[in-house]
Amino acid sequence: MEWELNDVVSGMRFPEGNRWHDGRLWFSDMHTGEVFVLDPARDSEPTRLTTLDCQASGLGWLPDGRLIVTAMDERTLRTILPDGTTEVFADLSGISDSLLNDLMVDEQSGRVYVGAFGYDIYGGEDPKPGPLYVVETDGSARLAADGFVFPNSANVLPGTRTLVLGETWGHVLTAFDILDDGDLGNRRTWAALPEGTTPDGSCVDLEGGIWISSIDTGEFLRVLEGGEITDRIDVGGRCAIDCVLGGEDGRTLFISTADSYTPSVTADSHDGRIEAVRVTVPGPH
């Protein structure tokens, strides 16, 4: 299938944390610590909301409407205030000894699920299993599950209490039941992915299909439970970073790509971008 990709944002380094909320596209630039918002129908350039003094990743909204972002190196979650300043919402530095990564807010409970690398990926440390933490609405955090091969983006399947998490170097999507207290049970494989597939950012559609960005293979895949791949978007060898469904009818897939995931490379190139492509099944919002 031929996909028509339309430019939305360019000149970024490593666009991450794609979210569609309140009729707008929100995202971070991981390698600069910046957080942006854009109305694709009205704005030609994104508005910068804040700049962290460390790498930034996942975004989400707490039940009271506050926007939070993963301050990766600090191992904290920060709220972004209207004046662009930030405050610590949750400090995980006492329980995580590696960088935090993407986050997901469970809309039913207001709890936040956030993963950590598990090891120093930039310093050449040998890979180690990584954890997934759960953060309560008061900012207290605890371990939710462990032993992942680089835990990454998570989604709750529409109409269920099933959380599905991508394991980047494990080439798999892993599912759990979300229990009433926020703990995770009934761990199982949701979809084994083709050899070499490296799930990074992801989003879910109304039919329970999950779009994943496969960062090393440079493609976006729509995956069903059991592993069937229904759609594949090739981005020509670029790093496929993240994706979210949005737009007026929920059928626009906003995809983030870059020429590299190495900060020293993106500092020179600034070749990260977000593009839009039309798909068949809408997102849940």
Side-chain angles (χ1 to χ4, degrees), residues 12 60 68 79 86 100 108 116 123 127 134 153 167-169 171 174 181 200 241 253 256 258-259 264 271 278 281 283:
M12 299 289 118
I68 59 172
T79 57
T86 65
L100 298 183
Q108 179 169 310
V134 58
S153 178
E167 298 186 51
T168 301
W169 312 130
H171 322 297
T174 300
D181 61 0
D200 194 345
I241 304 167
L253 184 69
S256 289
D259 55 336
S264 60
D271 193 35
R278 297 288 289 166
V281 183

Side-chain angles (χ1 to χ4, degrees), residues 1-284:
M1 178 176 179
E2 291 292 330
W3 300 91
E4 181 180 349
L5 305 183
N6 297 297
D7 292 341
V8 177
V9 177
S10 60
M12 299 289 118
R13 286 179 59 184
F14 198 82
E16 257 279 18
N18 293 10
R19 304 289 186 265
W20 184 262
H21 177 79
D22 192 27
R24 292 179 288 175
L25 176 67
W26 309 69
F27 63 97
S28 60
D29 190 331
M30 191 174 100
H31 290 174
T32 66
E34 296 170 295
V35 178
F36 297 91
V37 63
L38 173 76
D39 182 342
R42 299 178 56 184
D43 303 332
S44 59
E45 297 290 337
T47 297
R48 184 176 61 210
L49 300 176
T50 195
T51 303
L52 303 180
D53 56 5
C54 67
Q55 294 185 109
S57 184
L59 301 172
W61 287 263
L62 299 174
D64 61 9
R66 286 179 294 169
L67 171 62
I68 59 172
V69 57
T70 306
M72 299 173 65
D73 314 63
E74 285 185 356
R75 291 168 286 161
T76 66
L77 306 182
R78 287 186 165 269
T79 57
I80 301 175
L81 304 180
D83 64 359
T85 60
T86 65
E87 295 178 345
V88 174
F89 164 65
D91 186 345
L92 286 78
S93 61
I95 60 175
S96 177
D97 57 5
S98 65
L99 272 63
L100 298 183
N101 197 11
D102 206 355
L103 67 78
M104 181 209 72
V105 179
D106 174 19
E107 293 187 357
Q108 179 169 310
S109 67
R111 295 184 177 98
V112 182
Y113 292 86
V114 57
F117 285 9
Y119 65 100
D120 184 359
I121 190 173
Y122 298 119
E125 184 180 5
D126 290 338
K128 298 177 183 177
L132 181 69
Y133 300 106
V134 58
V135 181
E136 297 288 345
T137 55
D138 63 1
S140 60
R142 66 183 188 277
L143 183 69
D146 207 348
F148 300 104
V149 188
F150 205 87
N152 218 312
S153 178
N155 296 277
V156 175
L157 301 182
T160 78
R161 299 301 292 149
T162 300
L163 180 150
V164 180
L165 175 76
E167 298 186 51
T168 301
W169 312 130
H171 322 297
V172 69
L173 301 179
T174 300
F176 293 88
D177 296 337
I178 303 175
L179 307 181
D180 289 344
D181 61 0
D183 288 347
L184 301 175
N186 189 24
R187 182 173 182 162
R188 58 201 183 272
T189 295
W190 192 82
L193 301 171
E195 184 67 28
T197 304
T198 46
D200 194 345
S202 64
C203 63
V204 65
D205 63 33
L206 278 175
E207 293 182 357
I210 296 180
W211 280 98
I212 64 167
S213 51
S214 178
I215 189 164
D216 272 358
T217 60
E219 57 190 347
F220 293 85
L221 310 174
R222 182 176 182 267
V223 184
L224 302 182
E225 184 173 9
E228 179 186 353
I229 296 173
T230 65
D231 298 273
R232 185 187 304 264
I233 302 171
D234 190 307
V235 289
R238 295 174 60 80
C239 294
I241 304 167
D242 203 357
C243 57
V244 70
L245 286 162
E248 186 174 347
D249 61 1
R251 292 179 49 237
T252 298
L253 184 69
F254 295 94
I255 61 173
S256 289
T257 66
D259 55 336
S260 175
Y261 50 69
T262 303
S264 60
V265 174
T266 66
D268 292 332
S269 63
H270 285 263
D271 193 35
R273 57 180 180 254
I274 299 177
E275 296 166 289
V277 58
R278 297 288 289 166
V279 299
T280 303
V281 183

